[in-house]
Structure formats: structure tokens, C-alpha cells
Amino acid sequence: MPTTNAASDNIVAKFRSVVGRKYVLTGHHKTKTYRTGYRGQSGECLAVLLPGSLLELWRTLQIAVDNDLNIIMQAANTGLTGGSTPHAGYDHDVVIISTNRLEKIYPIDNGNQVICFPGSTLHKLEQTLAPLNRDPHSVIGSSCLGASVIGGVCNNSGGALVERGPAYTEHSLFAKLTEDGELVLENGLGVDLGSTPEDILTRLDNKTFSDTDIAPSNGMASDHEYKDWVRDIHAPTPARYNADPRRLKQASGCGGKLAVFAVRLDTFPKNTAEKTFFIGTNKTAVLTTLRRKILADFAELPVLAEYMEQNCFKFTERYGRDTVYLIKTLGTQRLPTFFKLKETLASHLDDIPFLSSSLIDQCLQLFSRLAPNPLPKTIKEIADKRAHLLILKVKDRSVDETRKLLSALSEDHDVLFHACTDKEASTVGLHRFAAAGAAVRYQTIKSKDVGEVLALDIALPRNTTDWQEKLPQSLDQKIENKLYYGHFMCQVFHQDYILKAGTDTGAIKSEMLDLLKQRGAKYPAEHNVGHAYQAEPQLAEHYRALDPRNQLNPGIGKDSKRRFYAE
């Protein structure tokens, strides 16, 4: 049950004795950025804890368990469905444990694998592997900068890289709660670190283990079956989606129902040559033919294939331009810090009369309108003339093969394509990235005139050929704007709907999901169920098996928020 003020003060004091006063945050303003999700979901918490070592993380967990608190593990907090922020309706107080300070990464086996701590980011992993001429499972995300490595594993996140599928490993170090309330540490890393939690966590944190302590991987440290799975263009099921029972194992797909301390992952050799093509057509059938031909016949899979419908492309030009400039100016390493400062400032602006947290977005939007368009002229010309656009990056032997295929498709004069320079490819890739925030920016600065943003990420069956959505007029008339973009080869689409003012978001979402179910779609595809989706039965069972007390991240998948899943 919720604690009294005196009891709360006592618990907070215990946390401070472990991690230090500076790293125990309480109060509305200090905790707001941790309590609020990327798309505005927000709840209350007793405190936010920022442990500085794995052993401190273990001890804060133990204090939370001893005091029967709900625990939300949080890394970068870039989730789009509220899966790492508190909600409403709990029967016990919540503490958020942020792992931002736990960002160590250890290359092992000559860089062929890595051990990543819970706060490590994809950007830092990419930097760590660059001197070794290796790449991580994912690169800059489709929606969020600063995304964490372990967050991707816990949420079965996919990403843009065609060959690699969802983030997955069968090797992790994690703590779980038994039904009796005992906190247990399980070491599945395949590294001999001792027998007690103190020994295991201290040796890993200090890297006091040798190569001889590392056992060869006896399970998968990435989904190396996926490259064959995605090629099956006749299969009536999606290539990947959040609740796929093939990829629910301990930390992988745990959705915060375990406290994950580290994961062991595969890395990948860098491609020797890459080429990006920007493609435009007015016929969806052309892109369908392109997709099926490449997946069925090409010896090598593409690096990425990112789709943008023309309206989404142009919308992003207007409401995402500043994001492109910020990334170019600050770089991906500094941008998460910029956004954290922006969120902190916005929370204070709300308390000042006649000002609003949207003021910062309004200023950024003004800059966006005044700044020159960063898109290359050739890219703009194709986007202006064609309704369906594809950013296709291929590698090595596939470069010439792709050029020949595109030349053949362009003979009917509908297909336009351009072989990008490296600079052009970088800019159009950033433009695609900025699409995810464009709808949020629009709604933020025009909140008095429009309704909410309904954001869906869906996975269509691999055998789908008619992938373009066609909404009934009764539904379409309730929508101000529709933005379609996504990962084309696996047919995972992000669909952002800016609703008209006064519409019922819940009713519209329910109708949308019913239509998607009729098309054989699975949802969510890669952003976790969070508090936004009902978990499928096998995923709900997975969560309950991992956390029988319902004490870690309770309520995700729209399950009970009460202890032992009581109604």
C-alpha cells in the first residue's frame, strides 16, 4: 500500500545511504523528465534513483523489495508507449531506477561480441566498435536518439537494418523476484564471475575477469536466423513483432519484468562498400515487385530500406527540419543531453504565468521555417513528383545488381531514382529519422486546434502485396493528417495519425486495431506494448512467469497493476 510521509522519508534515507543524496531525486520538477515518456505519458513516483555501480543497483533493488515498492527500471526513456514510465492506479508506491550512469561496454572475443551494461547506448556501442571495424546490431534508431542497448533487447526492438531482425540474446545477467519476494541474481552471461551477487557484480563492474573466464557462446547472442526468416515472402505471418514467441526468453522481450544488469551480444563486420538509392514511384505495385525480387533472388540482403509516403516526407520537411540541423550541428552524442535540458526547461515554463512548455518547440519551429532546406535538390525533385518514396541502401555485390533492377523498373517512366553521394545519403537518412518527431511537433504547437497524435507501429504478414492502408470514410474524416513511414523489407510500418479536435482517441484506436487485425497485422511491431496496447496471451504469460508478484513494471500490456495480478 502507499507509504506514509514518515515511512517515505525513511525509505528515501536508505536509498541515499547507498547511492548518495545527489543521486536520489524527489519532488515534482526533479523527477518529471524521468516520470514522463517520449509522447507525454506521465505518472507519480516516490523517488528516482541513479545508482553508479552494479552493486549499488542491486542494493537499491533490495531496499525497494524489502519495502514492497513497485520498481520501474529505466534506461534512456525513449520508448513510445510509456513502457518505462509510471502510470496511474498502482496499489503500492513506485520507484524509478535509472541506469544512465551504468554505461560500460566490454568488447570480448576480439570484438566479435560485447558485454553491455544497462545504461549503454547504441551510439556509444557504435563508437566502441568503430576502431575494431565492427558494427552493432542497430545504428541510429527510427524514432529516438540515445536509445539504450538493453532497452532494445528488453523490448524486442527491431530497427532499420534488414538483416538483423529484433534485438535478441540468450545471454544476460539479471535479477528476478520469486513469488515469495526473494530477490535472486541469475548469471547467464557465460562468464565465470563468482557465486555471490557481491562477487559477480563487483568483478563485472571492475572487469576483474580474464578471457579464460569467458565460455564460448552456447546460445544465440543475436537473431542469426532472421535473415532467412525475412526472405520468406510467401509466409502468412510477419517477419518480426513484439510478442513473437520465438524471441521471448529471459531478458529478451522481458519488458522490464526483470532487472537486467548486462547482456552479451554479437557484433557484425563493417560492409566494405555501400550505396544508397533514393527511389520514387506513383505505383505501390512497383515497390512490391522491388521488395519481393530483392528478398527472393538477391544473394545479399539490403542494408536498409526505409519507406516514406510523400505527405510524410513533405510534412517532415516543415516540422522536422530543425531535428536534421541539430543532429548535423551537435552530433548524435550531444543531442540526448540537449533534449534532456529542453524537457527540464519546459517543465519549469509550465509554472510561469502566460508561458507554456510549448514555447521551446515554437522557437525551434520558427528556426525551422527560417533555415534553408538541407535536402539535396535531386532528392527534392523526386519527392515532389512521386507519391511513394524509398531509401534503399545496399552493399558490396548488390550495388550493381540493384542499379540494373532499378533501371529496368524505370523503363515505364514511372520510377525515378538517384544514386546518392555519401553526403546526400546521410542527409536523407536524417530526414527519415526526423519523421518520427514531426507529428509530435505539429500537435505541440497546434494543440488548441487539433486533437491527439495516435501513433501505431504495425507488422504486416510477409506475403502481403497490398500494403497501402485504405481507411473507411467514417474513420478518415476524423483525422487531420496521416503520416506513413517504416521499414519496407520486413513490412513494419509506423503510422502516425493527427486527429481532429474533439475526437475520441480511444474509440478511433480501437477501430484502427480491428481493421489491422482483419489484415493479419501484428501490433506493436517493435516498441513494446507499454501501457498503450493489450499484450497478446503468450506475451502476458511471459511477463507473469518472469514476475509472479507483479512488482516490476506492473500494468504493462494493460494487465493488472496490483500485487500478484489481483483484479
Side-chain angles (χ1 to χ4, degrees), residues 46-336:
L46 177 67
V48 175
L49 317 174
L50 293 95
S53 70
L54 297 180
L55 189 56
E56 285 185 5
L57 172 56
W58 171 259
R59 288 172 175 165
T60 56
L61 285 168
Q62 192 66 68
I63 292 170
V65 170
D66 291 344
N67 290 276
D68 206 20
L69 301 174
N70 287 333
I71 301 162
I72 294 178
M73 298 293 298
Q74 185 182 98
N77 191 17
T78 56
L80 304 183
T81 57
S84 59
T85 49
H87 217 240
Y90 303 109
D91 59 352
H92 291 71
D93 282 335
V94 173
V95 290
I96 298 170
I97 303 181
S98 170
T99 60
N100 283 347
R101 299 174 64 207
L102 307 173
E103 57 176 4
K104 292 179 182 177
I105 297 171
Y106 301 148
I108 59 174
D109 187 23
N110 298 314
N112 291 313
Q113 290 188 326
V114 285
I115 294 174
C116 296
F117 281 31
S120 58
T121 64
L122 289 174
H123 181 265
K124 182 172 181 179
L125 178 55
E126 195 172 1
Q127 284 187 316
T128 301
L129 293 175
L132 303 175
N133 206 34
R134 306 285 294 183
D135 275 333
H137 166 272
S138 302
V139 290
I140 184 171
S142 66
S143 53
C144 297
L145 284 169
S148 70
V149 175
I150 284 184
V153 172
C154 293
N155 294 325
N156 276 353
S157 297
L161 300 182
V162 176
E163 293 179 295
R164 298 178 192 170
Y168 181 74
T169 185
E170 295 173 2
H171 300 291
S172 58
L173 173 66
F174 60 88
K176 66 181 297 183
L177 268 170
T178 67
E179 192 167 2
D180 296 330
E182 182 185 2
L183 188 66
V184 178
L185 187 70
E186 295 193 12
N187 181 10
L189 285 177
V191 183
D192 185 0
L193 297 165
S195 56
T196 68
E198 289 75 12
D199 286 344
I200 292 169
L201 299 174
T202 301
R203 288 190 66 195
L204 182 59
D205 221 339
N206 296 334
K207 203 179 179 183
T208 51
F209 59 89
S210 64
D211 291 345
T212 57
D213 294 317
I214 303 172
S217 178
N218 61 357
M220 291 198 290
S222 64
D223 188 356
H224 52 69
E225 298 171 349
Y226 179 79
K227 60 183 180 293
D228 297 320
W229 188 260
V230 73
R231 282 186 181 273
D232 189 354
I233 59 175
H234 303 293
T237 55
R240 58 181 173 92
Y241 62 101
N242 184 262
D244 186 350
R246 297 169 57 249
R247 294 296 171 253
L248 299 177
K249 186 178 179 67
Q250 296 179 343
S252 293
C254 73
K257 287 295 189 178
L258 299 172
V260 183
F261 287 76
V263 294
R264 177 175 172 177
L265 296 166
D266 289 333
T267 68
F268 304 87
K270 282 186 176 293
N271 300 323
T272 55
E274 294 181 343
K275 193 67 179 176
T276 297
F277 296 90
F278 187 72
I279 305 158
T281 177
N282 288 322
K283 303 173 184 177
T284 57
V286 169
L287 293 186
T288 298
T289 299
L290 178 73
R291 171 183 173 269
R292 293 171 72 85
K293 174 71 175 175
I294 289 174
L295 291 179
D297 298 339
F298 276 30
E300 295 177 325
L301 287 170
V303 178
L304 60 79
E306 293 296 288
Y307 169 77
M308 295 182 78
E309 189 265 339
Q310 185 189 57
N311 177 60
C312 178
F313 193 94
K314 291 182 173 296
F315 196 88
T316 305
E317 277 189 80
R318 183 162 186 179
Y319 296 102
R321 188 179 301 184
D322 60 295
T323 300
V324 176
Y325 273 108
L326 284 168
I327 297 174
K328 282 177 171 287
T329 303
L330 298 178
T332 54
Q333 185 174 12
R334 295 186 183 92
L335 206 58

Side-chain angles (χ1 to χ4, degrees), residues 44 56 69 133 379 386 389 421:
E44 299 301 321
E56 285 185 5
L69 301 174
N133 206 34
I379 300 296
R386 294 295 183 262
L389 309 167
T421 65

Side-chain angles (χ1 to χ4, degrees), residues 433-477:
F433 171 85
V440 176
R441 164 65 57 77
Y442 181 84
Q443 197 278 335
T444 299
I445 64 177
K446 295 183 178 291
S447 57
K448 295 180 181 179
D449 304 315
V450 300
E452 296 182 37
V453 175
L454 173 58
L456 303 178
D457 67 296
I458 67 153
L460 294 177
R462 286 166 284 173
N463 64 356
T464 300
T465 55
D466 186 13
W467 45 268
Q468 187 177 21
E469 183 173 69
K470 301 175 184 67
L471 295 176
Q473 186 177 1
S474 60
L475 192 55
D476 199 54
Q477 65 186 9

